[in-house]
């Protein structure tokens, strides 16, 4: 089995062009040991250097990076490996579960073909024949609670959580000695999250593999890891046993992380997400919610959606009735694959419902013609779940946020509106982000750019599909606090899609629960 060591590792990025900030220090003098068969969790805010550190293990950092110190894999400096040696190490000695599943999977190959590819590149006696490799794929899908027939589908035919489970199956394919998991359960509902964490813990015990897991949620890390290291601004600020880090942390920042997630039923956290800023005088008013006689803004009746694939009809949504009042925040909760995102796309006019459905916005049926839909989308905006897929990799942050304004022919001060939207989404100072492209941002920062783009048009209704799934605890609180603030100041209504009941307790006036396409 392999040991993993980081010896005084520092990593910097070179920046250039409009967003030239010289050398950016992403990781600063980090030393960590991960003995064979042990488990280590790495916690910290978005942009703290967690992913940069672990990507150095298999030399997956971009060319603009510079690493000093040593990363040792089984006492071998990975910087000294030839390409052939590095290729042999990947998948078999160490494998990575990436955070953005849709961004990491090949969109034109079935998930079964993509898992088999790793088995073909690293053939062993266990899967020497094609039949054995197919059996291995079925076994791996079963390990992550996916039926065997999912091997024949493409990534876009799966929900976000299902795609993440495929990524986990791929990482396990060649029985690696070390698994590096970068936010492996971010997109998963709590039921599947528990299954995945239990499965990973069992693999660690049964096979003696090592685990390095990244998360902004200390409770997730404590479930699967014996030790936890906490990073902030690229530096290691605290390392210790999981129990001590979660229940008796020494550093104030770690204490903040430990108390960031709400306890369902706790009156102190009701309508009060953890935030860096003090609550305003009007915050207490949030607790009373929206009056039942507030006018209905969105009224959906008998909404069904049926997909047709391979000559078969697959019902995605069945007879859903949903109302959202002005100024109301509704949480739509359900497991991965329950139909939440399909319903959101239908409510905003991106998915055509089955005949018989009626969707009214402010008393008027939502339009179907492109010109009318464009006008409608000034009033209703959608925040997508996967920021890596939602953002154009060649467009700067400014262009991404301004894109909606230009489509809607905004006649005000575009630059001022873009800057204000970035500030509202906690991307401050905006000068540091305006010229950046998505690859230069952390996952959480990319999600905030998507939110800023939606807020730029100042909509009446925001439909947010897992808006804080990829955000760390403190930024999550800021975004949820922002939604409450916008509701208070502008009367903004929101449909927040989530698998997290704690989020619903934090900000929602009412909760709608979906299961297998139905509102239960």
């Amino acid at each position: 089995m392999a040991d993993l060591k980081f010896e005084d590792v520092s990593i910097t990025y070179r920046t250039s062009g409009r967003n030239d900030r010289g050398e950016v220090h992403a990781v600063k003098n980090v030393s960590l040991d991960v003995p064979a068969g042990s488990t280590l969790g790495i916690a910290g805010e978005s942009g703290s250097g967690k992913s940069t550190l672990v990507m150095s293990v298999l030399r997956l950092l971009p060319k603009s990076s510079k690493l000093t110190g040593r990363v040792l894999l089984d006492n071998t400096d990975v910087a000294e490996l030839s390409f052939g040696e590095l290729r042999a190490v990947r998948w078999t000695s160490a494998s990575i579960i990436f955070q953005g599943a849709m961004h990491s999977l090949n969109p034109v190959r079935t998930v079964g073909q993509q898992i088999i590819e790793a088995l073909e590149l690293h053939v062993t006696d266990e899967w020497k024949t094609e039949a054995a490799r197919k059996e291995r794929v079925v076994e791996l899908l079963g390990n992550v609670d996916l039926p065997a027939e999912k091997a024949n589908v493409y990534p876009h035919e799966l929900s976000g959580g299902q795609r993440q489970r495929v990524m986990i199956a791929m990482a396990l394919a060649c029985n690696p000695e070390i698994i590096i998991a970068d936010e492996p359960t971010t997109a998963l509902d709590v039921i599947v999250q528990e299954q995945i964490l239990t499965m990973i813990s069992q693999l660690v015990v049964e096979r003696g593999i090592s685990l390095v897991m990244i998360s902004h949620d200390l409770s997730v890390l404590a479930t699967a890891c014996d030790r936890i290291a906490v990073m902030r601004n690229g530096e290691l600020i605290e390392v210790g046993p999981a129990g001590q880090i979660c229940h008796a942390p020494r550093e104030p920042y770690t204490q903040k992380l430990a108390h960031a997630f709400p306890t369902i039923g706790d009156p102190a956290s009701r309508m009060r997400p953890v935030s860096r800023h003090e609550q305003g005088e009007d915050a207490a008013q949030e607790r009373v919610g929206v009056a039942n006689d507030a006018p209905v803004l969105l009224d959906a009746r008998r909404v069904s959606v049926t997909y047709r694939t391979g000559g078969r009809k697959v019902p995605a949504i069945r007879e859903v009735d949903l109302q959202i009042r002005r100024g109301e925040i509704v949480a739509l909760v359900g497991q991965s694959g329950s139909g939440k995102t399909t319903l959101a796309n239908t409510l905003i006019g991106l998915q055509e419902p089955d005949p018989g459905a009626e969707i009214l916005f402010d008393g008027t049926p939502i339009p179907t013609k492109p010109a009318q839909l464009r006008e409608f989308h000034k009033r209703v905006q959608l925040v997508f779940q996967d920021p890596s897929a939602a953002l154009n990799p060649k467009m700067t942050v400014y262009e991404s946020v301004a894109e909606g304004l230009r489509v809607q022919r905004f006649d005000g001060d575009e630059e001022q509106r873009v800057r204000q939207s970035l500030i509202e989404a906690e991307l401050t100072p905006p000068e540091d982000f305006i010229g950046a492209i998505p690859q230069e941002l952390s996952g959480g920062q990319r999600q905030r750019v998507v939110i800023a783009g939606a807020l730029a048009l100042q909509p009446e209704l925001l439909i947010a599909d897992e808006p804080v799934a990829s955000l760390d605890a403190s930024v999550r609180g800021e975004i949820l606090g922002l939604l409450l603030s916008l509701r208070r100041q502008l009367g903004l209504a929101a449909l927040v899609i989530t698998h997290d009941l704690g989020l619903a307790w934090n900000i929602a006036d009412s909760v709608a629960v979906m299961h297998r396409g139905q509102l239960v």
Side-chain angles (χ1 to χ4, degrees):
M1 302 304 292
D3 294 328
L4 175 62
K5 292 182 181 180
F6 299 95
E7 293 186 349
D8 196 28
V9 172
S10 294
I11 301 172
T12 58
Y13 289 110
R14 297 187 309 275
T15 58
S16 59
R18 186 175 177 180
N19 195 42
D20 189 358
R21 289 178 281 164
E23 282 198 341
V24 176
H25 293 268
V27 176
K28 305 172 187 175
N29 306 111
V30 170
S31 295
L32 276 173
D33 287 347
V34 186
S38 68
T39 55
L40 174 71
I42 304 178
E45 288 187 289
S46 173
S48 63
K50 309 183 301 294
S51 295
T52 294
L53 180 67
V54 299
M55 290 301 138
S56 67
V57 176
L58 294 178
R59 288 184 9 205
L60 295 175
L61 296 174
K63 293 180 179 180
S64 60
S65 65
K66 176 184 177 183
L67 185 148
T68 59
R70 296 200 305 167
V71 180
L72 302 175
L73 191 59
D74 203 17
N75 293 320
T76 301
D77 189 342
V78 297
E80 298 175 354
L81 295 175
S82 67
F83 178 76
E85 292 170 332
L86 183 62
R87 188 184 185 196
V89 163
R90 291 171 177 170
W91 293 98
T92 54
S93 293
S95 64
I96 293 183
I97 302 169
F98 293 100
Q99 181 177 356
M102 190 63 182
H103 189 62
S104 302
L105 292 170
N106 189 331
V108 297
R109 303 191 71 191
T110 66
V111 297
Q113 289 172 333
Q114 295 184 62
I115 297 174
I116 285 177
E117 182 181 13
L119 301 176
E120 290 174 338
L121 291 173
H122 301 278
V123 177
T124 70
D125 291 337
E126 188 178 348
W127 49 79
K128 185 173 290 186
T129 65
E130 183 179 352
R133 288 192 284 271
K134 289 182 178 180
E135 287 181 11
R136 176 65 173 160
V137 170
V138 172
E139 177 190 352
L140 289 164
L141 292 177
N143 286 341
V144 294
D145 198 32
L146 286 175
E149 55 266 25
K150 293 298 183 184
N152 301 317
V153 305
Y154 293 90
H156 73 273
E157 297 178 290
L158 299 173
S159 69
Q162 290 171 331
R163 288 194 291 265
Q164 191 65 27
R165 281 180 269 175
V166 170
M167 286 295 302
I168 294 171
M170 290 177 67
L172 297 173
C174 298
N175 291 326
E177 298 174 358
I178 299 174
I179 290 181
I180 299 169
D182 189 356
E183 300 277 11
T185 60
T186 292
L188 305 182
D189 58 80
V190 289
I191 296 173
V192 178
Q193 176 175 288
E194 183 183 17
Q195 294 171 350
I196 295 300
L197 292 174
T198 300
M199 179 198 70
I200 291 175
S201 299
Q202 288 175 345
L203 287 169
V204 169
V205 173
E206 294 171 1
R207 302 185 186 181
I209 62 175
S210 303
L211 172 68
V212 179
M213 181 183 289
I214 293 174
S215 179
H216 55 260
D217 188 342
L218 287 176
S219 63
V220 168
L221 295 179
T223 302
C225 301
D226 297 324
R227 290 188 305 140
I228 295 177
V230 181
M231 292 184 68
R232 187 183 191 187
N233 297 329
E235 297 180 307
L236 198 60
I237 64 171
E238 187 168 1
V239 184
Q244 179 251 307
I245 294 293
C246 290
H247 301 296
R250 296 188 302 271
E251 296 293 326
Y253 174 71
T254 310
Q255 294 170 9
K256 181 181 175 182
L257 281 182
H259 296 99
F261 290 88
T263 301
I264 299 173
D266 176 16
S269 61
R270 176 68 179 141
M271 292 293 181
R272 183 172 290 182
V274 174
S275 170
R276 289 191 292 264
H277 307 302
E278 294 296 325
Q279 298 287 330
E281 294 179 2
D282 298 329
Q285 297 178 10
E286 303 287 358
R287 297 169 185 262
V288 301
V290 173
N292 290 331
D293 59 354
V296 174
L297 182 63
L298 181 74
D299 190 2
R301 306 170 188 167
R302 303 179 303 278
V303 177
S304 297
V305 174
T306 303
Y307 292 125
R308 289 165 177 80
T309 175
R312 296 184 301 114
K313 293 183 178 180
V314 180
I317 301 176
R318 291 176 286 177
E319 296 289 325
V320 168
D321 295 332
L322 182 67
Q323 283 189 342
I324 302 174
R325 299 180 180 274
R326 285 195 176 274
E328 182 181 21
I329 298 178
V330 177
L332 183 62
V333 182
Q335 284 184 273
S336 172
S338 61
K340 307 186 301 295
T341 299
T342 299
L343 177 60
N345 290 337
T346 306
L347 296 178
I348 202 172
L350 299 179
Q351 170 67 52
E352 186 178 353
D354 294 347
E358 187 177 16
I359 304 174
L360 306 176
F361 185 81
D362 202 13
T364 304
I366 66 170
T368 55
K369 295 182 179 179
Q372 295 171 330
L373 263 180
R374 186 178 69 186
E375 200 66 25
F376 170 64
H377 287 156
K378 287 183 181 179
R379 307 175 68 186
V380 182
Q381 280 286 294
L382 178 63
V383 175
F384 292 97
Q385 177 178 355
D386 185 355
S388 297
L391 294 173
N392 187 325
K394 294 184 178 181
M395 288 172 61
T396 65
V397 167
Y398 181 93
E399 292 166 335
S400 294
V401 176
E403 184 177 20
L405 297 173
R406 293 169 182 172
V407 168
Q408 298 292 349
R409 300 186 178 95
F410 177 67
D411 58 2
D413 188 332
E414 179 185 283
E415 184 173 351
Q416 181 182 2
R417 178 63 65 82
V418 169
R419 287 175 177 271
Q420 182 59 35
S421 298
L422 292 174
I423 291 171
E424 288 176 343
E426 294 294 325
L427 290 168
T428 55
E431 292 78 17
D432 285 353
F433 299 95
I434 278 176
I437 59 175
Q439 115 180 34
E440 296 173 331
L441 303 175
S442 68
Q445 289 168 336
R446 286 193 291 265
Q447 184 67 302
R448 280 177 275 171
V449 172
V450 175
I451 292 171
L455 294 175
L457 288 164
Q458 298 181 331
E460 298 171 54
L461 173 64
L462 193 67
I463 298 179
D465 190 355
E466 300 280 8
V468 296
S470 63
L471 302 183
D472 56 80
S474 62
V475 179
R476 162 195 165 110
E478 296 301 324
I479 296 301
L480 298 181
L482 172 64
L483 290 175
L484 290 175
S485 174
L486 292 169
R487 186 261 288 275
R488 187 167 59 245
Q489 296 172 15
L490 306 175
L492 179 72
L495 176 65
V496 181
I497 299 171
T498 182
H499 55 255
D500 183 356
L501 279 171
L503 181 151
W505 176 256
N506 250 175
I507 68 163
D509 299 295
S510 55
V511 179
V513 181
M514 286 197 75
H515 181 59
R516 295 183 178 178
Q518 292 182 302
L519 211 59
V520 298

